């Protein structure tokens, strides 16, 4: 077991654990946000044939005068024109044989003939071109492109099924009555939403009380590819996730050099990879964002790294990368960042009131006016 590892090392260690990577075929209407499992080549030229980019007439550019002889709509079979002839043509209709120019509808039939308003066969993609590669996230545009290329179904990565378990005697499900000393359980809902965002299937479990037996029973009952727990991983007397993993599981690392988010662990329970996330709500979100997401779905990052000019001073952390919550906005062609709320790792409001975090290297604070690295939430 390694302790107090860097973020990069944590991901590297987790990558050594076996992880499912199988493929299934889905229809395009089911493909949104899925991750492509194979390269996709186009089955057709795009455009399939030379066609008009505008509504107007298809003409011969050498003719001085023309008469309209026919009409071509999108979907019509290609027509043919001879000397002095014009065909009324709609956007997307095949260019008639013999025509080499388009006269725009607004210019009238004897108007200027343009040779550049023709979309040429294959100018976007030719038959056989690989335009979507393995690992591509099927965004709305990627789905349209797959359809353009003639694919009715596509091979995508099977979604990892990830169990989400909150631990803690104090946790009460929202909607139920709070007792003295109890609080609403919140981490599991955010973690399930994060999992959906990166293309996984979350399996939300009941809250587990702080007891070795209850936790063991829960872990043994799971049918999933990956386990995420929250809470119970630090030095406290009732931190039973760490204790159980230490005694009966297999821990690969414990503690990451980041703040917030210090005490997570990674290991396996009966061969299933398990991330023990910290209980503090900001910590569990940030450890998921920085470690779990890049490991589970490297194709779907949750942050974008940018440079920002600070408008408020921010304090770093000894020996740890420090993620202060910041609001990033654009000002005079530059990204600037401000801070607004209490920065405690228990304050989930700070993750909503801001749209990013600082990426302060260990032992580094920064002043107002400094330009620093930051992560912008996607
Ligand atoms: P722990 O890591 O179990 O010591 O928890 C650290 C802090 O996070 C404590 O204040 C817990 O009450 C809180 N916490 C733990 N789990 C959750 C959860 N699922 N939802 C909200 N807060 C939590
Ligand atoms: Mg706890």
């Amino acid at each position: 077991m390694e302790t107090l590892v860097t973020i990069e090392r944590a991901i590297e260690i987790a990558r050594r654990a076996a992880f499912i990577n199988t493929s299934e075929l889905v229809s395009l209407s089911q493909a949104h946000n899925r991750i492509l499992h194979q390269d996709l080549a186009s089955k057709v030229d795009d455009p399939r044939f030379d066609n008009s980019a505008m509504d107007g007439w298809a003409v011969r550019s050498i003719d001085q005068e023309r008469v309209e002889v026919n009409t071509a709509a999108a979907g019509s079979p290609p027509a043919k024109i001879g000397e002095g002839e014009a065909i009324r043509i709609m956007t997307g209709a095949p260019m008639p044989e013999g025509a080499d120019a388009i006269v725009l509808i607004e210019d009238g039939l004897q108007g200027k003939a343009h040779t550049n308003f023709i979309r040429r066969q294959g100018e976007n993609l030719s038959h056989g071109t690989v335009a979507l590669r393995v690992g591509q996230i099927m965004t709305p545009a990627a789905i349209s492109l797959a359809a353009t290329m003639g694919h009715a179904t596509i091979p995508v990565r099977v979604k990892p099924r990830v169990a989400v378990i909150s631990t803690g005697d104090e946790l009460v499900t929202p909607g139920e009555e709070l007792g003295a000393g109890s609080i609403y359980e919140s981490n599991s809902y955010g973690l399930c939403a994060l999992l959906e965002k990166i293309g996984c299937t979350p399996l939300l479990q009941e809250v587990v009380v702080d007891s070795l037996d209850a936790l063991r029973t829960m872990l043994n009952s799971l049918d999933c590819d990956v386990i995420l727990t929250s809470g119970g991983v630090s030095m406290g007397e009732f931190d039973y996730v760490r204790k159980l993993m230490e005694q009966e599981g297999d821990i690969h690392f414990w503690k990451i050099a980041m703040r917030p988010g210090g005490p997570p662990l990674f290991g396996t329970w009966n061969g299933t990879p398990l991330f023990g996330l910290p209980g503090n709500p900001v910590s569990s979100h940030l450890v998921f964002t920085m470690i779990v997401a890049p490991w589970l779905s490297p194709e779907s990052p949750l942050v974008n790294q940018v440079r920002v000019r600070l408008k408020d001073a921010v304090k770093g952390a000894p020996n740890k990368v420090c993620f202060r919550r910041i609001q990033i906005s654009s000002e005079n062609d530059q990204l600037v960042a401000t801070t607004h709320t209490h920065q405690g790792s228990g304050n989930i409001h700070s993750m909503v009131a801001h749209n990013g975090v600082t990426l302060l290297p260990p032992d580094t604070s920064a002043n107002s006016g400094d330009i620093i690295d930051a992560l912008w939430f996607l």
Side-chain angles (χ1 to χ4, degrees):
M1 173 177 86
E2 294 182 32
T3 51
L4 200 60
V5 296
T6 62
I7 289 170
E8 296 72 29
R9 181 70 186 146
I11 297 169
E12 204 174 290
I13 293 172
R15 288 232 165 95
R16 293 198 304 237
F19 182 64
I20 49 133
N21 188 14
T22 50
S23 170
E24 66 182 338
L25 276 180
V26 295
S27 69
L28 291 182
S29 54
Q30 302 299 313
H32 188 214
N33 261 343
R34 300 299 297 268
I35 294 165
L36 197 60
H37 204 262
Q38 265 172 37
D39 289 350
L40 284 191
S42 186
K43 298 180 179 204
V44 290
D45 287 337
D46 173 39
R48 272 196 66 218
F49 39 79
D50 290 359
N51 68 85
S52 176
M54 307 296 264
D55 291 330
W57 290 270
V59 300
R60 295 160 16 118
S61 54
I62 53 165
D63 290 340
Q64 299 305 311
E65 276 190 22
R66 312 126 188 158
V67 286
E68 182 181 312
V69 296
N70 210 337
T71 299
S76 307
K80 202 171 181 176
I81 58 169
E83 196 179 329
E85 291 178 340
I87 286 187
R88 179 92 164 76
I89 195 164
M90 314 302 155
T91 303
M95 283 299 286
E97 200 183 315
D100 66 351
I102 299 291
V103 174
L104 303 185
I105 188 88
E106 51 269 41
D107 292 343
L109 181 55
Q110 309 310 332
K112 182 173 171 3
H114 299 269
T115 50
N116 56 330
F117 288 135
I118 300 167
R119 304 189 287 210
R120 300 286 174 194
Q121 178 172 354
E123 72 181 3
N124 302 331
L125 291 177
S126 47
H127 183 269
T129 302
V130 174
L132 290 168
R133 298 209 172 268
V134 59
Q136 166 79 42
I137 299 174
M138 294 308 292
T139 58
I143 292 172
S144 279
L145 176 56
T148 299
M149 298 198 300
H151 296 274
T153 57
I154 58 169
V156 294
R157 183 192 300 167
V158 169
K159 287 184 175 196
R161 293 167 317 128
V162 184
V164 177
I165 303 160
S166 286
T167 69
D169 286 348
E170 74 281 28
L171 304 177
V172 170
T173 300
E176 288 176 13
E177 205 169 315
L178 288 169
S182 56
I183 61 168
Y184 291 126
E185 192 280 303
S186 64
N187 290 346
S188 66
Y189 302 101
L191 291 171
C192 286
L194 283 164
L195 284 163
E196 270 173 3
K197 199 163 172 176
I198 63 165
C200 298
T201 301
L203 307 172
L204 178 60
Q205 308 296 315
E206 299 270 295
V207 172
V208 174
V209 294
D210 288 318
S211 123
L212 279 181
D213 287 343
L215 188 59
R216 184 189 305 106
T217 304
M218 168 59 84
L219 295 185
N220 284 338
S221 74
L222 298 172
D223 172 21
C224 62
D225 303 308
V226 178
I227 305 168
L228 290 189
T229 63
S230 82
V233 287
S234 31
M235 297 293 281
E237 201 177 323
F238 304 109
D239 286 333
Y240 286 119
V241 176
R242 183 180 52 79
K243 280 190 188 161
L244 186 69
M245 284 296 287
E246 224 166 56
Q247 290 166 19
E248 301 174 35
D250 187 8
I251 301 184
H252 299 190
F253 72 71
W254 180 42
K255 292 190 188 168
I256 301 177
M258 63 186 275
R259 176 179 292 171
L265 63 78
F266 174 80
T268 51
W269 178 263
N270 290 336
T272 305
L274 179 150
F275 276 97
L277 303 178
N280 277 307
V282 177
S283 306
S284 65
H285 266 71
L286 287 177
V287 173
F288 185 97
T289 301
M290 299 310 300
I291 317 282
V292 183
W295 175 75
L296 262 176
S297 192
E299 297 82 4
S300 340
L302 293 170
V303 286
N304 205 359
Q305 188 166 335
V306 291
R307 300 277 290 166
V308 298
R309 187 168 54 77
L310 290 172
K311 296 184 101 178
D312 297 309
V314 286
K315 211 163 150 256
N319 303 319
K320 291 180 174 182
V321 176
C322 190
F323 299 108
R324 300 279 171 193
R325 271 68 73 212
I326 51 175
Q327 181 67 19
I328 302 172
S329 60
S330 175
E331 195 179 280
N332 303 327
D333 290 340
Q334 197 180 32
L335 295 179
V336 296
T338 51
T339 60
H340 305 281
T341 66
H342 186 254
Q343 290 281 343
S345 62
N347 184 15
I348 193 66
H349 180 229
S350 70
M351 293 289 285
V352 178
H354 298 96
N355 60 5
V357 286
T358 62
L359 191 54
L360 285 172
D363 308 299
T364 311
S365 291
N367 292 314
S368 171
D370 288 354
I371 295 178
I372 63 159
D373 287 328
L375 300 174
W376 197 339
F377 300 137
L378 292 169

